[in-house]
């Protein structure tokens, strides 16, 4: 149980660090603009795959108790940072999406 709480603490610290770096404060209100996103954009294979490799590396190198918060921090921070870069690149591509056809209820 203690290891799970250490992992959670590291994950929260990673989220807070990325939020602070990105927005300069943890108190900022986030309200994204309305946008259309394709379902395939939810498949975060690159960010999840990199996180798995990074966490694997951490577990090979670090054997002490602080490996648990370090794994949580590494996985969360890397995931959010890579995902942010992916979203920034996707937004700069400005690909026009055709609207989906409306489905009628039968």
């Amino acid at each position: 149980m203690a290891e799970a709480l250490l992992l959670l603490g590291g994950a929260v610290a990673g989220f807070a660090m990325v939020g602070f770096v990105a927005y300069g404060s943890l108190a900022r209100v986030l309200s994204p603009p309305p946008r259309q996103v394709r379902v395939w954009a939810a498949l975060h294979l690159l960010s999840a795959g990199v996180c798995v490799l990074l966490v694997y590396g951490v577990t090979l190198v670090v054997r002490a108790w602080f490996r648990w918060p370090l794994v949580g921090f590494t996985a969360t921070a890397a995931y959010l940072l890579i995902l942010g870069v992916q979203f920034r690149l996707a937004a700069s591509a400005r690909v026009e999406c055709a609207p989906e056809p409306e489905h009628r209820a039968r």
Side-chain angles (χ1 to χ4, degrees), residues 8-34:
L8 175 65
V12 169
F15 190 89
M17 187 271 308
V18 170
F20 186 80
V21 169
Y23 300 107
S25 169
L26 297 179
R28 183 165 174 189
V29 176
L30 301 178
S31 55

Side-chain angles (χ1 to χ4, degrees), residues 52-78:
V52 168
L53 291 175
L54 288 172
V55 165
Y56 178 68
V58 167
T59 60
L60 290 178
V61 174
V62 179
R63 295 289 182 196
W65 65 268
F66 57 88
R67 140 178 75 180
W68 290 101
L70 189 58
V71 162
F73 181 88
T74 301
T76 304

Side-chain angles (χ1 to χ4, degrees), residues 36-89:
Q36 293 181 353
V37 177
R38 297 285 183 197
V39 173
W40 63 263
L43 301 174
H44 304 151
L45 297 177
L46 176 65
S47 51
V50 169
C51 290
V52 168
L53 291 175
L54 288 172
V55 165
Y56 178 68
V58 167
T59 60
L60 290 178
V61 174
V62 179
R63 295 289 182 196
W65 65 268
F66 57 88
R67 140 178 75 180
W68 290 101
L70 189 58
V71 162
F73 181 88
T74 301
T76 304
Y79 179 79
L80 292 173
L81 291 171
I82 295 167
L83 197 60
V85 169
Q86 286 178 307
F87 283 156
R88 175 64 72 186
L89 292 174

